[in-house]
Amino acid sequence: MTTTRQAIRDFIKTTREYAFNEPSLQVYPNRYAPIIRVGEDGEREMVRARWGMPTPPMFIKGKHDSGVTNIRNTTSAHWRKWLSPESRCLVPVTSFAEPDPDSRKEGDKRTPNAWFALNEDRPLFVFAGLWTPWHGKRMAREEPADHEVYGFLTTEPNSVVAPVHKKAMPVILTTEDEMTAWLTEPWEEAKKLQRPLPDDKLIIVDAPEAPD
C-alpha cells in the first residue's frame, strides 16, 4: 500500500485511527496492516490487525495457527459466524500481487509476481474483509496471545486476473456506496458485492517500488 494516512481518511472517512508508517506499507500474510471497521458507536475506525483469519480446526497442523488469508466459500459454517456487519471490515490497498509462473525465466528459482491496480496512478481501493478477536499461537516461535485478525473475500477472476490466477481474485470495492453497504447492510444484501471487478476497472502494473 503506497499512500498516506490523509488519503485513507479522505477516501474511507475514518474518524479514529492508529498511526502507521507512511507513505509505503508492504503487507504480508501473518503480518500487521491497517483495516477499517465500524466501532460500537457507529464511527469508522482504522485499527492494526494481523492478516489471517482463524483456520478451520480440521486443517490446523501443529500447535500454532498462522491463519487463512482469504475466504471464498461464505456458505461454510466456519465463516458464517463472521458475516454480520460487526465482523466486516475494509482493507485499504493500492495494488496487489498474484504469483505468475508463466513469467518465470529459465534458471530463476523464485516465481515472480504479477501486480494489479485500478490504473497507473494506483489510487486507493479496498478489499471486502472480515475480522475477529482471536487468542492463540500465530507462529511456532511465539507464545499464545490476544490478537485482532482479518482476511478478505475472493471471487471468480475477471479476464485481467484470470490469465495469471485462474481460480480467484479479491473482492474489490471502489465507491462509498459499496463500502457503506459492506460495512452496514444485512448479509443478504452485502453478499451481492462478492463479484469480480469489471474488466475495464483493473490493469496490470509494474511492481511497486520498495520503501526507503
Side-chain angles (χ1 to χ4, degrees):
M1 184 174 63
T2 305
T3 188
T4 65
R5 205 158 44 236
Q6 188 60 49
I8 296 176
R9 290 188 195 112
D10 294 342
F11 183 58
I12 309 178
K13 299 178 175 58
T14 59
T15 55
R16 286 189 297 269
E17 62 192 64
Y18 83 96
F20 65 93
N21 294 333
E22 54 182 330
S24 183
L25 181 67
Q26 297 186 56
V27 183
Y28 295 97
N30 209 12
R31 298 295 188 268
Y32 291 96
I35 64 169
I36 290 83
R37 66 190 182 195
V38 176
E40 293 182 1
D41 59 358
E43 297 294 324
R44 292 183 185 180
E45 57 186 18
M46 182 159 51
V47 300
R48 184 172 180 262
R50 201 163 178 175
W51 186 6
M53 287 287 281
T55 303
M58 68 187 76
F59 298 115
I60 295 177
K61 299 178 181 179
K63 297 182 179 180
H64 69 282
D65 178 6
S66 55
V68 177
T69 57
N70 53 72
I71 300 105
R72 178 74 176 268
N73 181 15
T74 54
T75 64
S76 164
H78 179 73
W79 302 119
R80 203 175 301 144
K81 56 182 171 288
W82 293 306
L83 296 179
S84 55
E86 60 267 22
S87 295
R88 296 188 212 141
C89 65
L90 307 173
V91 184
V93 186
T94 53
S95 59
F96 68 94
E98 297 286 2
D100 186 13
D102 290 345
S103 68
R104 182 165 51 192
K105 297 178 181 178
E106 187 175 353
D108 287 351
K109 295 182 178 180
R110 299 184 64 180
T111 300
N113 286 322
W115 285 86
F116 303 88
L118 299 188
N119 58 50
E120 292 288 353
D121 294 331
R122 303 176 197 244
L124 265 168
F125 58 95
V126 299
F127 294 153
L130 304 177
W131 78 277
T132 188
W134 182 81
H135 180 86
K137 189 178 175 75
R138 287 306 299 251
M139 301 177 73
R141 63 177 180 268
E142 295 180 354
E143 294 300 319
D146 292 325
H147 301 275
E148 289 187 336
V149 297
Y150 76 95
F152 56 80
L153 267 61
T154 61
T155 186
E156 61 270 19
N158 65 16
S159 66
V160 180
V161 177
V164 176
H165 193 271
K166 64 182 180 181
K167 292 184 178 180
M169 70 176 292
V171 172
I172 293 172
L173 311 179
T174 62
T175 70
E176 172 60 26
D177 286 347
E178 290 173 339
M179 292 188 290
T180 298
W182 179 249
L183 291 175
T184 63
E185 291 290 340
W187 177 243
E188 286 304 308
E189 287 299 316
K191 71 179 182 180
K192 297 174 184 177
L193 295 168
Q194 191 178 12
R195 77 290 181 262
L197 195 69
D199 296 343
D200 62 351
K201 301 295 184 181
L202 198 69
I203 65 170
I204 293 178
V205 294
D206 293 334
E209 295 182 5
D212 295 333

